[in-house]
Amino acid sequence: MQPLRFATAGSVDDGKSTLIGRLLVDARAVLEDQLAAVERASQRRGAAQIDLSLLTDGLEAEREQGITIDVAYRYFATPRRKFIIADGPGHVQYTRNMATGASNADALLLLIDVTKKLLPQTKKHLEIARLLGIRQVIAFINKMDLAGWSRDAFEEAAADLKAFAAPLGLETLDIIPGSALVGDMVVERGESLDWYRGPALLERLETLPAGTEKAATGPFRFPVQLVSRPQADGKTSALRGYMGRIESGHVLTGMEVVLLPSGRRTRVRQILTHGASREIAVAGDSVTLVLADDIDIARGDLIADAANPPREARELDLTLVWLGHEPLRPGGRYLVQQSARRVQAKVQAEAPLALNDIGAARLALSAPLFVDSYDIVRTTGSLILIDETTNHTVAAGLVK
């Protein structure tokens, strides 16, 4: 199966880092010396047992304060699948970091403390994840050991979540009871939740569809990253090749494509991977495309399906997630970057935006961008705003 990228979310102290630590340990994805180091660190802090959150809280400030600040990325594999985890922070002031972790995820692992139920920050994280295109959610109702493994407590928390999530249009919402500290229903089922008949967390993660599998059904989009003269079968091509990653859809040899921004049309002459020709490539594949005509194409240009191209836009209506410490300047000018393409823009916001705010805005662009709705193609439906003075990224934008 394709690797699954998932992000963790939820309010502070709901146990996200402990859950990921438990998942890694029980799935045997932690080396013995690494686990021994965490045990020693736990003892120095006076903990009665190993603090599994230390496996993901890598910053010194995180370990000192016992919280997650930055996004911690972890990789592990089981015999059935590979995983990439983005363990995000729960604190309100680090919401932008949570959004960063969720931006490339296929699914969301949402933690809820059964003793606290559905908190405002938990709701905000779920809304942000849905805004970022995530439609697969696993909710882990944590700390069931503190509720005496009560089925009634679980069902009350699950009912609150279902009611809140109903308008969000999720494709799947799995709700699993368990305890990250004890380990029940993380990898092993344990002995205290015999009334629950559904899958354990890892079992469900192993069966979720990956984003690249869905992206392959979309329209063909190929942002050009590098221009070269490729070699095939030991011979250098007379035509230029265009290197990059297929972000959406698929491409076939002989397929008609449109080149943007020029608008020229041609056909795909050859698809190369590591010097070998192939007849088809799909979303997620990094390839070199050789076209039938020698056309001037540069880094940042887009090769797309001629029968289903993106729309050309000089004005864009967006949802902005504001990441900058300085608030949005009314009528301010910023740089807009979409994949490798960068243009200038003037921003008109319906309301002032400050750090961690989410709101609507319109961009007036100095040159056209070629976009899709974010729900259709993430890459051509997303962009970032850059402050021209500081060169800092100040917002993420999602095309409506």
Side-chain angles (χ1 to χ4, degrees):
M1 297 181 70
Q2 291 286 337
L4 181 76
R5 297 173 177 263
F6 69 92
T8 65
S11 192
V12 64
D13 292 331
D14 280 352
K16 294 182 296 299
S17 296
T18 300
L19 177 63
I20 297 307
R22 170 64 65 187
L23 185 62
L24 295 173
V25 169
D26 287 3
R28 296 176 176 81
V30 178
L31 298 175
E32 289 185 8
D33 58 346
Q34 185 182 9
L35 190 59
V38 170
E39 288 177 345
R40 292 192 296 271
S42 302
Q43 292 169 359
R44 288 196 298 269
R45 295 177 60 179
Q49 60 190 50
I50 185 171
D51 185 351
L52 296 174
S53 69
L54 297 180
L55 285 167
T56 55
D57 287 342
L59 298 178
E60 183 177 353
E62 293 177 327
R63 295 190 176 191
E64 289 175 351
Q65 299 177 55
I67 63 172
T68 300
I69 297 173
D70 201 1
V71 180
Y73 291 93
R74 291 294 180 267
Y75 310 85
F76 79 104
T78 68
R80 295 187 65 184
R81 188 169 220 172
K82 295 179 180 178
F83 298 93
I84 303 171
I85 312 169
D87 182 27
H91 279 264
V92 173
Q93 62 264 43
Y94 304 122
T95 300
R96 62 177 181 170
N97 291 4
M98 174 269 161
T100 299
S103 62
N104 290 315
D106 304 320
L108 184 75
L109 174 55
L110 183 73
L111 263 75
I112 297 173
D113 183 336
V114 71
T115 67
K116 299 176 183 177
K117 304 298 188 296
L118 199 58
L119 297 174
Q121 186 68 354
T122 314
K123 294 178 180 179
K124 186 171 186 178
H125 280 191
L126 184 54
E127 289 174 329
I128 290 173
R130 180 62 190 90
L131 178 68
L132 293 171
I134 296 177
R135 298 187 181 184
Q136 301 180 116
V137 175
I138 299 176
F140 190 83
I141 309 298
N142 195 25
K143 304 188 182 181
M144 288 295 299
D145 52 311
L146 300 183
W149 309 102
S150 166
R151 183 171 186 170
D152 289 342
F154 166 72
E155 290 182 347
E156 183 181 346
D160 289 347
L161 175 60
K162 289 177 182 177
F164 178 77
L168 298 180
L170 299 174
E171 290 180 3
T172 61
L173 175 60
D174 297 277
I175 306 177
I176 301 173
S179 169
L181 186 64
V182 179
D184 288 46
M185 290 300 165
V186 180
V187 174
E188 304 296 337
R189 299 191 66 84
E191 300 178 353
S192 302
L193 291 165
D194 54 353
W195 47 263
Y196 170 71
R197 301 300 182 188
L201 174 61
L202 181 60
E203 183 182 354
R204 183 64 182 115
L205 287 170
E206 288 180 326
T207 60
L208 283 179
T212 51
E213 296 169 15
K214 295 183 178 181
T217 64
F220 174 61
R221 302 289 185 263
F222 182 82
V224 175
Q225 295 293 332
L226 188 66
V227 181
S228 68
R229 292 200 180 274
Q231 286 192 342
D233 303 322
K235 298 179 181 179
T236 301
S237 172
L239 298 176
R240 286 178 290 182
Y242 306 100
M243 304 171 68
R245 181 178 184 269
I246 300 174
E247 299 295 344
S248 174
H250 67 277
V251 63
L252 298 162
T253 301
M255 177 175 164
E256 186 181 21
V257 293
V258 61
L259 315 176
L260 301 168
S262 71
R264 293 279 303 276
R265 293 187 174 221
T266 185
R267 293 190 179 273
V268 175
R269 179 173 179 173
Q270 204 172 19
I271 304 168
L272 300 173
T273 304
H274 304 298
S277 296
R278 54 196 293 188
E279 294 299 314
I280 185 173
V282 300
D285 290 344
S286 294
V287 298
T288 299
L289 298 183
V290 178
L291 304 179
D293 301 295
D294 198 4
I295 300 172
D296 186 18
I297 302 174
R299 171 178 164 83
D301 288 358
L302 182 69
I303 303 176
D305 184 351
N308 189 7
R311 63 184 174 92
E312 179 178 343
R314 287 187 175 271
E315 284 191 344
L316 280 177
D317 289 314
L318 303 168
T319 299
L320 288 182
V321 180
W322 196 257
L323 310 175
H325 289 285
E326 297 296 326
L328 172 66
R329 300 189 302 270
R333 296 183 182 278
Y334 297 87
L335 295 174
V336 173
Q337 183 154 338
Q338 180 204 48
S339 190
R341 186 169 174 80
R342 184 177 286 195
V343 301
Q344 291 183 321
K346 183 177 181 180
V347 182
Q348 299 171 335
E350 295 181 5
L353 296 178
L355 179 63
N356 294 325
D357 283 346
I358 300 172
R362 172 169 288 187
L363 298 186
L365 305 173
S366 63
L369 290 178
F370 299 89
V371 300
D372 298 285
S373 167
Y374 183 81
D375 277 342
I376 297 174
V377 183
R378 280 190 177 186
T379 301
T380 49
S382 62
L383 49 83
I384 59 172
L385 265 61
I386 301 169
D387 189 300
E388 290 185 282
T389 304
T390 64
N391 207 36
H392 289 165
T393 299
V394 294
L398 311 177
V399 179
K400 296 180 179 178

